[in-house]
Amino acid sequence: MQKTGYGKRPSSTGRSKRGFTLLELLVVMVIIGLLAGYVGPKYFSQIGKSEIKAARAQIDALGKALDQYRLDVGTYPSTEQGLSTLVVRPPNESRWDGPYLQKDAPDDPWGNPYVFVMPGEHGEYDLVSFGKDGMPGGDGEAGDITNW
């Protein structure tokens, strides 16, 4: 065997480096495309489900803050006062012992404000996110998320 240097073996084809062929690259790209086509929709559907879960958790947290407000003040805030009363003392309210939230009430996961109505049609108050489309009604991600 002929010596070619420090640990190098002679190449049988005469080339010292071999790259990928176009066919090999195309096969790899097709496999990646198939995986993305299978995994992508499942991944994005999970994002939608997590936004719905986040909205439900936020409505639950806002409901608990509203209940604490009611325990202190004696009534829920009016629709006009809104959720801001959970952070800022309403005028002429001596029994307010807040803030009941660390910061302003968040928007829903789609960037729309929660709708607060007092008195509610479904309970003492209604707290609603209209979902991804921001419109009443709908299904899936566009469906309403409520406190009732």
Side-chain angles (χ1 to χ4, degrees), residues 84-104:
S84 65
T85 59
L86 298 174
V87 179
V88 178
R89 178 189 299 271
N92 303 323
E93 188 53 67
S94 61
R95 297 187 303 179
W96 188 87
D97 193 28
Y100 302 96
L101 296 173
Q102 293 179 350
K103 52 187 177 181
D104 289 338

Side-chain angles (χ1 to χ4, degrees), residues 58-90:
Q58 287 176 336
I59 285 176
D60 184 54
L62 290 171
K64 289 177 181 174
L66 285 164
D67 291 341
Q68 186 62 46
Y69 177 94
R70 180 178 176 261
L71 286 173
D72 290 345
V73 174
T75 63
Y76 289 107
S78 67
T79 301
E80 292 77 26
Q81 290 174 317
L83 298 174
S84 65
T85 59
L86 298 174
V87 179
V88 178
R89 178 189 299 271

Side-chain angles (χ1 to χ4, degrees), residues 105-126:
D107 288 341
D108 69 15
W110 300 279
N112 302 314
Y114 286 99
V115 176
F116 173 73
V117 179
M118 169 58 190
E121 294 179 20
H122 303 278
E124 293 186 76
Y125 63 88
D126 291 348

Side-chain angles (χ1 to χ4, degrees), residues 22-87:
L22 181 59
L23 182 60
E24 290 170 329
L25 291 174
L26 287 174
V27 168
V28 169
M29 290 177 67
V30 166
I31 291 171
I32 290 172
L34 290 172
L35 287 173
Y38 178 73
V39 174
K42 293 194 181 291
Y43 173 74
F44 289 113
S45 72
Q46 291 301 318
I47 290 175
K49 288 178 185 176
S50 67
E51 288 172 332
I52 292 170
K53 288 179 183 178
R56 285 190 181 127
Q58 287 176 336
I59 285 176
D60 184 54
L62 290 171
K64 289 177 181 174
L66 285 164
D67 291 341
Q68 186 62 46
Y69 177 94
R70 180 178 176 261
L71 286 173
D72 290 345
V73 174
T75 63
Y76 289 107
S78 67
T79 301
E80 292 77 26
Q81 290 174 317
L83 298 174
S84 65
T85 59
L86 298 174
V87 179

